[in-house]
Amino acid sequence: MRSVVIDGSFGLDHLRIVGRESERVRPGQVLLKIKAVSLNYRDLLMVTGKYDRRAKLPLVPCSDAVAEVVGAGVGVSRVGVGDRVMPIFAQKWLSGAPTRERLRSTLGGPLNGTLTEAMMLPEEGVVRAPEHLTDVEAATLPCAALTAWTALVVEGGVKPGDSVLVQGSGGVSIFALQMAKLLGARVFATSSSDEKLERLRQLGADAVLNYKTEPQWGRKAREWSGGEGVDYVVEVGGAHTLQQSLRAVRMGGQVGLIGVLSGRTAPLDVATILMSYVRVQGVLVGHRESFEQMNRAIAAAQLRPVVDRTFAFDQAVDAFRYLQTGQHFGKVVVELS
Amino acid sequence: MRSVVIDGSFGLDHLRIVGRESERVRPGQVLLKIKAVSLNYRDLLMVTGKYDRRAKLPLVPCSDAVAEVVGAGVGVSRVGVGDRVMPIFAQKWLSGAPTRERLRSTLGGPLNGTLTEAMMLPEEGVVRAPEHLTDVEAATLPCAALTAWTALVVEGGVKPGDSVLVQGSGGVSIFALQMAKLLGARVFATSSSDEKLERLRQLGADAVLNYKTEPQWGRKAREWSGGEGVDYVVEVGGAHTLQQSLRAVRMGGQVGLIGVLSGRTAPLDVATILMSYVRVQGVLVGHRESFEQMNRAIAAAQLRPVVDRTFAFDQAVDAFRYLQTGQHFGKVVVELS
Amino acid sequence: MRSVVIDGSFGLDHLRIVGRESERVRPGQVLLKIKAVSLNYRDLLMVTGKYDRRAKLPLVPCSDAVAEVVGAGVGVSRVGVGDRVMPIFAQKWLSGAPTRERLRSTLGGPLNGTLTEAMMLPEEGVVRAPEHLTDVEAATLPCAALTAWTALVVEGGVKPGDSVLVQGSGGVSIFALQMAKLLGARVFATSSSDEKLERLRQLGADAVLNYKTEPQWGRKAREWSGGEGVDYVVEVGGAHTLQQSLRAVRMGGQVGLIGVLSGRTAPLDVATILMSYVRVQGVLVGHRESFEQMNRAIAAAQLRPVVDRTFAFDQAVDAFRYLQTGQHFGKVVVELS
Amino acid sequence: MRSVVIDGSFGLDHLRIVGRESERVRPGQVLLKIKAVSLNYRDLLMVTGKYDRRAKLPLVPCSDAVAEVVGAGVGVSRVGVGDRVMPIFAQKWLSGAPTRERLRSTLGGPLNGTLTEAMMLPEEGVVRAPEHLTDVEAATLPCAALTAWTALVVEGGVKPGDSVLVQGSGGVSIFALQMAKLLGARVFATSSSDEKLERLRQLGADAVLNYKTEPQWGRKAREWSGGEGVDYVVEVGGAHTLQQSLRAVRMGGQVGLIGVLSGRTAPLDVATILMSYVRVQGVLVGHRESFEQMNRAIAAAQLRPVVDRTFAFDQAVDAFRYLQTGQHFGKVVVELS
């Protein structure tokens, strides 16, 4: 059984494939044969040492995957051998409020992650994959899709007729676009590439804007919404885009703070939040109960994730490098044979 | 009938008392004889030109007041002559979502405000004052108390056993302390003055901290809460205190952004919001339906506002200057004879 | 100007067309030229004296309509002459909580209703009609559509992947079916007619059931949902169907109590509600803020109401008699030339 | 180790004390030495065969208790030996939505319950007891107190100034009274005994009513509230009191359906629910996350449960008989030496 590990110190150059002995299945645990692993920006930050420098190495990165259950310990009843499952991001966050204890159980750091041929998890830590999806597609759901769902559905309460702004063409943003359409919302999408904007339009975006040629996209989005501002912004940029997002959103609206792709820290005029009665809601993936509800929705709508490219297990480093370029449109996936 | 107006240009030196002719009561309107006016930080910003430089002058400042209904136009049924009432901050925001149209109807700018001997308002724009309060006390409710109520009750859902952090000893903060105790919460209060801290403790604060001598108060509040962080922060400081507030609040907790006393703009590490699944909720006073519910609660609890000092109508400028010093503990009120 | 009135005493035989003098437009009011009026079951109950026997006669029945603004009083700004608008059911319920005062302002009793060639309303009492709808279609929205929206969206929070049960083929039920599909839910529909079931299927129902041939439809719906029960039941039958609805709904699910077509009173095993942690939520149309949000959603989805049949103004009694037969599938509308 | 069991068939006459061998502590489990057990009406129904006739016998009844941890299996980390803990009612309902799977794990049926000298539970199935409470007091919290909390706080959102109606003087009702006061609400309490009404008043009830001498207590409560109706009713009577409760509650208010002491089935006019936009919310105890939050609130307020009488372990049958008489005021507890 082979695993990719961050070895010795952080950095893409320190990713290594190591052989590890298989363990016996313990009570309440399931043994998973990994079929596909999807990469998230968090994984890239982790590997390059920008996420948590205190994480103990060696560490198997990544938290997204789809797998087959190939062994089940005593007492396992939620799933059975042969089932196709996905691990949940925070292994102990099954429902209810986020707590430090629950969020300390995330895969890909501090716990060993999914970029491995096999792994063992508590049966409580996996959910069934929607049947209509390929392995590669199903592997993309645990973080990116659930983050979009938690933001729009659980926290946002987005309803038909609402307007939603999504930024760029990364995994979360495209899921957010697809789900916003599923929710009956109108979507305003931004990107720095006209070609990607065209593809976002094909995925259902009602309006698109190139933020390179139109840096005042906040005002533009507000105008597009009819002047009041959009109901919901899926903020993946972070520090350097938040001010524009606050310009885009309507009074009483919500900004779901999902990512910090543009940076963690920048000057922010917080009076805007106050004067417009805006809610800025940080969103960190979500719990298992939401995951299962989302899967039910994905199955009902036969929604299909957008996969940009797949890489073989031996080329996992290339997958990370590709993610780093930011060229992708949708998810980058490592496929295991 | 005399009114204080900002005349010619902004600045405390441009406050003048002018005589104005009384108007006839119009259908659906009530004529109010003002008994007391309470000052808010917003009023000071407005007078000094820091709130909205495009506001049309001359303008009567202030939005808080208590008044006697001395005339009622045709069709008025909500209140009657002789009733003691308080105007609502945003005259058109009776309930429901905040909208730009509703929030354009605020007293003290753009509409003429309450620092006047008499004024006329639509009957929909006033609510009855709790009977147990003096005029001076009742005058303090419309902005500061309702802001605290909207933050803690409507948006915060603070419940018995929760922990709440309040900053300083201004009007909103003291109301927040009183209401948090009414809600059964434990309260952590900060101030730069040990004397004020002692008074906050007497008002019910369970723990107090001098932020001058302990700049890392966010970490201290977190420790006090048992390590997880406090459930709710009433943020009145704004740009320069928000980072500490984000340190103080628990994962999944909420920061009610109420004021920007320390400044509007500062570098902010937005990743904290994301990583801790925190909600930063801007709060702008609240609507009439909440105001009436709060009054019911204030009456039931016989809660009494904390008034620092009163000034005569002719000394309204002095009241503003005193507010500007930041020495006050509670509300500053102008009393009309 | 002619109006239909309940004259002298209740009963379809006491509906009369009377001529009334037109009034001058008052300040803040709009004069409406009615184009189409849709009938609700409540209107039938009112006319036949089963809704409120203390209602003062003569009374113009009905609350649904679409109209053209043909006059606007002093101070009117929300709408203008030439606009196409719909009256709101409870003229004073603009947003916020339902109260007795707000709900005493309903059209078609106690206030005169819409079955008239012209009427005057406060500008606050109308909303703009979605542009893509015909007059006949738009006339159906104020009660039936808004009731379905309030139930599913405002109170139900129905989300993609949820399962919804709708009963029969009346106006509210068909709107509920259409909106549940718009929300991404799966729908189980019942009827006593196989022909109607086929049409419900064409409108998007995922499963249908003839409750005549299968009186234990509660159990059947539960099985269809996968065993747990459906997430939401739109209960229009009332007393005699509620017990089956409680069998159909999942633990922790919700029954929106919308109508009492089968009767007001019947023995009910209330322990079911307790043991299954079910919410039974009475829903009475909804407020203007919801109405406007619904219209936005209807426009965005280009949703089209299902109209069964139209009648001329002179045949309004026939329209009521037809509604009484229960043969209709969707809305029954009176069209004015 | 001795346990009380329902043996052979249902009925108080079939309660027997049997000796059982102690088990070895399993991984993830804790061994509990029971100190006190509180009886709930559900336990009485279970023993007498009125709750679930299909429950497998022999069965140890009861779910409330306080215990000392005297053993901890491998991997236990939430609690330790020496801790004082209370079991949770539904062992698998830790947070999130109620589901059939989660609710099938309730103590006292189908799982063996707490009326035993020792028992073993998963560490996830217990919570720490508030320190200021005696054993007897702490034993009363798991069902009755949590039911009241879930009703008023989680589902009811009761806030300062609200009005709450509680019925009688059983465990849930008295906790509801105490918590409603803690929440800042005004309380209207009913009983059939003037003596008990006096005690309810001493516990904080703002108004009391003898429903024997005033059967139209719904109307009376409405009048007391000022005419609109009370905001929240804690309905413990069930079928025969619900109609009065619906008369008492305000438009848009909520009836928390907690118990069916007066019976399961009775004719109900469901139109009242619809016409008054009322929510009838079934409440079944609650989950562990709520339990822990409630304990925090109970500790902060130093709230003390009202215990009517205690019985020795050998007199458990007498405790049940006493509960059956309905004479109690507060909780009935079995104390183990």
Side-chain angles (χ1 to χ4, degrees):
Chain A
M1 193 268 282
R2 299 179 308 155
S3 304
V4 172
V5 296
I6 313 170
D7 200 14
S9 64
F10 292 104
L12 286 171
D13 297 339
H14 296 90
L15 284 181
R16 252 164 246 160
I17 295 184
V18 299
R20 301 203 298 177
E21 223 152 295
S22 292
E23 308 166 74
R24 265 189 59 209
V25 190
R26 287 191 293 267
Q29 308 256 325
V30 288
L31 184 62
L32 304 178
K33 182 173 188 303
I34 306 291
K35 313 299 280 290
V37 175
S38 148
L39 304 191
N40 289 294
Y41 191 67
R42 173 184 184 270
D43 304 323
L44 181 62
L45 292 175
M46 181 65 80
V47 170
T48 54
K50 290 169 188 155
Y51 191 84
D52 178 9
R53 290 207 73 88
R54 290 165 305 178
K56 281 189 194 155
L57 305 184
L59 175 76
V60 180
C62 297
S63 61
D64 277 359
V66 73
E68 186 188 336
V69 177
V70 294
V74 173
V76 166
S77 63
R78 272 176 52 87
V79 292
V81 170
D83 284 352
R84 190 170 68 143
V85 300
M86 303 169 294
I88 60 175
F89 173 61
Q91 287 284 304
K92 290 191 177 169
W93 193 18
L94 308 185
S95 60
T99 63
R100 294 218 281 185
E101 188 207 344
R102 285 169 172 166
L103 268 300
R104 259 195 295 262
S105 65
T106 48
L107 298 178
L111 305 186
N112 273 323
T114 58
L115 200 49
T116 174
E117 289 175 340
M119 74 188 301
M120 195 148 60
L121 289 176
E123 64 160 337
E124 299 287 348
V126 299
V127 302
R128 281 199 175 74
E131 291 184 14
H132 72 289
L133 300 181
T134 65
D135 287 345
V136 165
E137 288 169 339
T140 67
L141 300 183
C143 279
L146 185 51
T147 298
W149 175 271
T150 302
L152 293 171
V153 177
V154 180
E155 298 295 345
V158 171
K159 56 185 185 310
D162 280 359
S163 52
V164 173
L165 185 148
V166 300
Q167 304 169 342
S169 55
V172 176
S173 297
I174 289 183
F175 276 122
L177 161 54
Q178 292 177 300
M179 288 176 188
K181 294 312 295 179
L182 192 56
L183 290 161
R186 294 182 312 132
V187 176
F188 187 98
T190 67
S191 172
S192 62
S193 146
D194 287 342
E195 191 206 323
K196 287 181 175 175
L197 287 173
E198 180 49 34
R199 295 181 66 189
L200 291 167
R201 201 184 270 284
Q202 284 164 21
L203 282 168
D206 298 273
V208 298
L209 175 149
N210 190 319
Y211 64 82
K212 277 265 167 72
T213 56
E214 181 53 83
Q216 295 299 312
W217 50 268
R219 193 166 48 79
K220 288 288 176 183
R222 173 177 287 274
E223 288 166 16
W224 167 79
S225 78
E228 283 287 312
V230 301
D231 295 291
Y232 196 93
V233 176
V234 183
E235 171 66 61
V236 298
H240 298 286
T241 48
L242 183 52
Q243 200 73 69
Q244 284 296 317
S245 294
L246 290 173
R247 217 152 280 166
V249 77
R250 73 162 164 83
M251 178 161 277
Q254 188 171 161
V255 175
L257 187 55
I258 309 304
V260 289
L261 294 173
S262 73
R264 288 179 65 125
T265 306
L268 182 72
D269 176 2
V270 298
T272 325
I273 296 172
L274 159 60
M275 300 294 293
S276 295
Y277 208 119
V278 164
R279 173 178 295 179
V280 177
Q281 175 68 59
V283 173
L284 194 61
V285 186
H287 51 55
R288 193 185 74 187
E289 195 168 277
S290 288
F291 196 176
E292 291 181 323
Q293 289 180 348
M294 178 189 74
N295 290 340
R296 202 172 62 156
I298 286 174
Q302 298 280 302
L303 185 150
R304 303 202 85 96
V306 173
V307 175
D308 180 280
R309 233 175 113 174
T310 63
F311 291 82
F313 185 67
D314 294 337
Q315 286 142 12
V317 181
D318 298 328
F320 277 109
R321 290 198 200 284
Y322 178 65
L323 186 70
Q324 208 171 25
T325 65
Q327 299 170 38
H328 57 289
F329 185 94
K331 298 297 294 178
V332 175
V333 181
V334 173
E335 202 172 1
L336 286 83
S337 51
Chain B
M1 191 266 283
R2 299 181 307 156
S3 304
V4 172
V5 295
I6 312 170
D7 199 16
S9 63
F10 292 104
L12 286 172
D13 297 339
H14 296 90
L15 284 181
R16 244 159 254 167
I17 296 184
V18 298
R20 302 203 300 177
E21 225 153 293
S22 292
E23 308 167 74
R24 267 188 56 210
V25 190
R26 286 192 292 268
Q29 310 255 327
V30 288
L31 183 63
L32 305 178
K33 181 174 189 302
I34 306 292
K35 312 297 281 289
V37 175
S38 145
L39 304 192
N40 290 293
Y41 191 66
R42 174 184 184 269
D43 304 324
L44 182 62
L45 291 176
M46 181 66 79
V47 170
T48 54
K50 289 169 188 155
Y51 191 84
D52 178 9
R53 290 207 74 86
R54 289 167 304 181
K56 281 189 193 155
L57 304 184
L59 175 76
V60 179
C62 297
S63 61
D64 276 0
V66 73
E68 186 190 337
V69 177
V70 292
V74 174
V76 166
S77 62
R78 273 175 53 87
V79 291
V81 170
D83 285 353
R84 193 171 66 145
V85 300
M86 302 169 293
I88 60 175
F89 174 60
Q91 286 283 305
K92 291 192 178 169
W93 192 18
L94 308 186
S95 60
T99 63
R100 295 218 280 183
E101 189 207 344
R102 285 168 172 166
L103 269 298
R104 259 195 295 263
S105 65
T106 48
L107 298 178
L111 305 186
N112 273 322
T114 57
L115 200 48
T116 176
E117 290 175 339
M119 74 188 302
M120 195 149 58
L121 288 176
E123 66 160 336
E124 299 287 349
V126 299
V127 302
R128 280 198 178 73
E131 290 183 15
H132 72 291
L133 300 181
T134 64
D135 286 345
V136 165
E137 288 169 339
T140 67
L141 301 182
C143 280
L146 184 51
T147 298
W149 175 270
T150 302
L152 293 171
V153 178
V154 180
E155 299 295 345
V158 171
K159 56 185 186 308
D162 280 359
S163 51
V164 172
L165 185 149
V166 300
Q167 303 168 344
S169 55
V172 176
S173 297
I174 289 182
F175 276 122
L177 161 54
Q178 292 176 301
M179 289 178 187
K181 292 314 293 179
L182 192 55
L183 291 161
R186 294 183 312 133
V187 175
F188 186 99
T190 66
S191 172
S192 61
S193 147
D194 287 343
E195 189 206 324
K196 287 182 177 175
L197 288 173
E198 181 49 34
R199 297 182 65 190
L200 290 167
R201 201 184 272 283
Q202 284 164 19
L203 282 168
D206 299 272
V208 298
L209 177 148
N210 190 320
Y211 64 82
K212 277 265 167 73
T213 57
E214 182 52 86
Q216 296 299 312
W217 50 269
R219 191 165 50 78
K220 287 289 176 182
R222 171 177 290 274
E223 287 167 15
W224 166 79
S225 77
E228 284 286 313
V230 300
D231 296 291
Y232 196 93
V233 176
V234 183
E235 172 65 61
V236 298
H240 299 285
T241 49
L242 183 51
Q243 199 74 67
Q244 283 297 317
S245 293
L246 290 171
R247 216 152 281 165
V249 76
R250 74 163 164 82
M251 178 162 278
Q254 189 172 159
V255 176
L257 187 56
I258 307 304
V260 289
L261 293 173
S262 74
R264 289 178 63 126
T265 306
L268 182 73
D269 176 2
V270 297
T272 326
I273 296 172
L274 159 60
M275 300 294 291
S276 294
Y277 208 119
V278 165
R279 173 177 296 180
V280 177
Q281 175 70 57
V283 172
L284 194 60
V285 187
H287 51 55
R288 193 186 74 188
E289 195 168 279
S290 289
F291 195 176
E292 291 181 323
Q293 289 179 349
M294 177 189 74
N295 290 341
R296 205 172 58 158
I298 286 175
Q302 297 281 303
L303 186 149
R304 303 200 84 97
V306 174
V307 175
D308 180 280
R309 231 177 113 174
T310 62
F311 291 81
F313 185 66
D314 292 338
Q315 286 142 12
V317 181
D318 298 328
F320 277 109
R321 289 198 203 284
Y322 178 65
L323 187 70
Q324 208 170 25
T325 65
Q327 299 170 37
H328 57 288
F329 185 93
K331 299 296 293 178
V332 175
V333 181
V334 172
E335 202 172 0
L336 287 82
S337 52
Chain C
M1 191 266 282
R2 298 181 309 155
S3 304
V4 173
V5 295
I6 313 170
D7 200 13
S9 63
F10 292 103
L12 285 172
D13 297 339
H14 296 90
L15 284 181
R16 247 161 251 164
I17 296 185
V18 298
R20 302 203 298 175
E21 223 151 295
S22 293
E23 308 165 73
R24 266 188 58 208
V25 190
R26 287 193 291 268
Q29 309 256 325
V30 287
L31 183 64
L32 303 179
K33 182 174 188 301
I34 306 291
K35 312 298 281 288
V37 175
S38 146
L39 304 192
N40 289 294
Y41 190 68
R42 173 185 184 271
D43 305 324
L44 182 60
L45 292 175
M46 182 63 81
V47 170
T48 55
K50 291 169 189 155
Y51 191 84
D52 179 8
R53 289 206 75 86
R54 290 168 303 179
K56 283 189 192 153
L57 305 184
L59 175 76
V60 180
C62 297
S63 62
D64 276 1
V66 73
E68 186 188 336
V69 177
V70 293
V74 173
V76 167
S77 62
R78 272 176 54 85
V79 291
V81 170
D83 284 353
R84 193 170 67 145
V85 300
M86 302 170 295
I88 60 175
F89 174 61
Q91 286 284 304
K92 290 192 178 169
W93 193 17
L94 309 185
S95 60
T99 63
R100 295 218 282 184
E101 189 207 343
R102 283 168 172 166
L103 267 300
R104 261 195 294 263
S105 66
T106 49
L107 298 179
L111 305 187
N112 274 322
T114 57
L115 200 50
T116 177
E117 290 175 340
M119 75 189 301
M120 195 148 60
L121 289 176
E123 67 161 334
E124 298 287 347
V126 299
V127 303
R128 282 200 175 72
E131 291 184 14
H132 72 290
L133 300 181
T134 64
D135 286 345
V136 165
E137 289 169 338
T140 68
L141 300 182
C143 279
L146 183 52
T147 299
W149 175 270
T150 302
L152 294 171
V153 177
V154 180
E155 299 294 345
V158 171
K159 57 185 185 308
D162 280 358
S163 51
V164 173
L165 185 148
V166 299
Q167 303 169 344
S169 55
V172 175
S173 297
I174 290 183
F175 276 121
L177 161 54
Q178 292 177 301
M179 287 177 188
K181 294 312 296 179
L182 191 55
L183 290 161
R186 293 183 314 131
V187 176
F188 187 97
T190 67
S191 173
S192 60
S193 147
D194 286 343
E195 191 204 324
K196 286 181 176 173
L197 288 172
E198 180 49 36
R199 295 181 66 190
L200 291 167
R201 203 184 269 285
Q202 283 164 21
L203 282 169
D206 298 272
V208 298
L209 176 150
N210 190 320
Y211 64 82
K212 277 264 167 73
T213 58
E214 181 53 84
Q216 295 299 313
W217 51 266
R219 193 166 47 79
K220 287 289 176 181
R222 174 178 287 276
E223 287 167 17
W224 166 78
S225 77
E228 283 286 314
V230 301
D231 296 290
Y232 196 95
V233 176
V234 182
E235 171 65 62
V236 298
H240 298 285
T241 48
L242 183 52
Q243 200 74 67
Q244 284 297 318
S245 293
L246 290 172
R247 216 152 280 164
V249 76
R250 72 163 165 82
M251 178 161 277
Q254 188 171 160
V255 175
L257 186 56
I258 307 305
V260 289
L261 293 173
S262 73
R264 289 178 64 125
T265 306
L268 182 72
D269 176 1
V270 298
T272 326
I273 296 172
L274 160 60
M275 300 294 293
S276 293
Y277 208 119
V278 164
R279 174 177 295 180
V280 177
Q281 175 70 57
V283 173
L284 193 63
V285 186
H287 52 54
R288 192 183 75 187
E289 193 167 280
S290 289
F291 196 176
E292 291 181 324
Q293 288 179 349
M294 177 188 75
N295 291 339
R296 202 172 62 157
I298 286 176
Q302 298 280 301
L303 186 150
R304 303 201 83 96
V306 173
V307 175
D308 179 280
R309 232 176 111 174
T310 62
F311 291 81
F313 184 68
D314 293 337
Q315 286 141 14
V317 181
D318 298 328
F320 277 109
R321 289 198 200 284
Y322 178 66
L323 186 71
Q324 208 170 25
T325 66
Q327 299 169 39
H328 58 287
F329 185 94
K331 298 298 292 179
V332 175
V333 180
V334 173
E335 203 173 359
L336 286 84
S337 53
Chain D
M1 190 268 283
R2 299 180 307 155
S3 305
V4 173
V5 295
I6 313 170
D7 200 14
S9 62
F10 292 103
L12 285 172
D13 295 340
H14 296 91
L15 283 181
R16 241 154 260 171
I17 294 185
V18 299
R20 301 202 300 175
E21 224 152 295
S22 292
E23 309 166 72
R24 266 190 55 212
V25 191
R26 288 192 290 268
Q29 309 255 328
V30 287
L31 183 62
L32 304 178
K33 181 172 188 304
I34 305 291
K35 312 298 281 291
V37 176
S38 147
L39 304 191
N40 289 294
Y41 190 67
R42 173 185 184 267
D43 303 324
L44 182 62
L45 292 175
M46 182 65 80
V47 170
T48 55
K50 290 169 188 155
Y51 190 85
D52 178 9
R53 290 206 75 86
R54 292 166 302 182
K56 282 189 192 154
L57 305 184
L59 175 75
V60 179
C62 298
S63 60
D64 275 0
V66 72
E68 186 188 336
V69 177
V70 293
V74 173
V76 166
S77 62
R78 272 176 52 87
V79 291
V81 169
D83 284 353
R84 191 171 68 144
V85 301
M86 303 169 293
I88 60 176
F89 173 61
Q91 286 284 305
K92 290 192 177 170
W93 193 17
L94 308 185
S95 60
T99 63
R100 294 220 278 184
E101 190 206 343
R102 284 168 172 166
L103 269 299
R104 260 194 295 263
S105 65
T106 48
L107 298 178
L111 306 185
N112 274 322
T114 57
L115 200 48
T116 176
E117 291 176 339
M119 73 187 303
M120 194 151 58
L121 289 176
E123 65 160 337
E124 298 287 348
V126 299
V127 303
R128 280 199 177 74
E131 291 183 15
H132 71 292
L133 300 181
T134 65
D135 286 346
V136 166
E137 289 169 337
T140 67
L141 301 183
C143 279
L146 184 50
T147 299
W149 175 271
T150 302
L152 293 171
V153 177
V154 181
E155 299 294 346
V158 171
K159 56 186 185 309
D162 281 359
S163 51
V164 173
L165 184 149
V166 300
Q167 304 169 343
S169 56
V172 176
S173 297
I174 290 183
F175 275 122
L177 161 54
Q178 292 176 301
M179 288 178 187
K181 293 313 296 179
L182 193 54
L183 290 160
R186 294 182 313 133
V187 175
F188 186 98
T190 67
S191 172
S192 60
S193 147
D194 287 343
E195 190 206 324
K196 287 182 176 174
L197 287 173
E198 181 49 35
R199 296 181 66 190
L200 291 166
R201 202 185 271 283
Q202 284 163 20
L203 282 168
D206 299 272
V208 299
L209 176 149
N210 190 321
Y211 64 82
K212 277 262 167 73
T213 56
E214 182 52 85
Q216 296 298 314
W217 50 269
R219 192 166 49 78
K220 287 288 177 184
R222 172 178 288 275
E223 286 166 15
W224 167 78
S225 77
E228 283 286 311
V230 301
D231 295 291
Y232 196 94
V233 176
V234 183
E235 171 65 61
V236 299
H240 298 286
T241 48
L242 183 52
Q243 199 75 67
Q244 284 297 317
S245 293
L246 290 172
R247 216 153 280 166
V249 77
R250 73 163 165 83
M251 178 161 277
Q254 190 171 159
V255 176
L257 187 55
I258 307 305
V260 289
L261 293 174
S262 72
R264 288 179 64 126
T265 306
L268 182 72
D269 175 2
V270 298
T272 326
I273 297 172
L274 159 59
M275 299 294 293
S276 294
Y277 207 118
V278 164
R279 173 177 296 179
V280 177
Q281 175 69 57
V283 172
L284 195 61
V285 186
H287 52 54
R288 192 184 75 189
E289 196 167 278
S290 288
F291 197 176
E292 292 181 323
Q293 288 179 350
M294 178 189 73
N295 291 341
R296 202 172 60 157
I298 286 174
Q302 297 282 301
L303 185 150
R304 304 200 84 97
V306 173
V307 175
D308 179 280
R309 233 175 110 175
T310 62
F311 291 82
F313 185 66
D314 293 337
Q315 287 143 9
V317 181
D318 299 327
F320 276 110
R321 290 198 201 282
Y322 179 66
L323 186 69
Q324 209 171 23
T325 65
Q327 298 170 38
H328 56 287
F329 185 94
K331 299 296 294 177
V332 175
V333 180
V334 173
E335 201 171 1
L336 288 83
S337 53

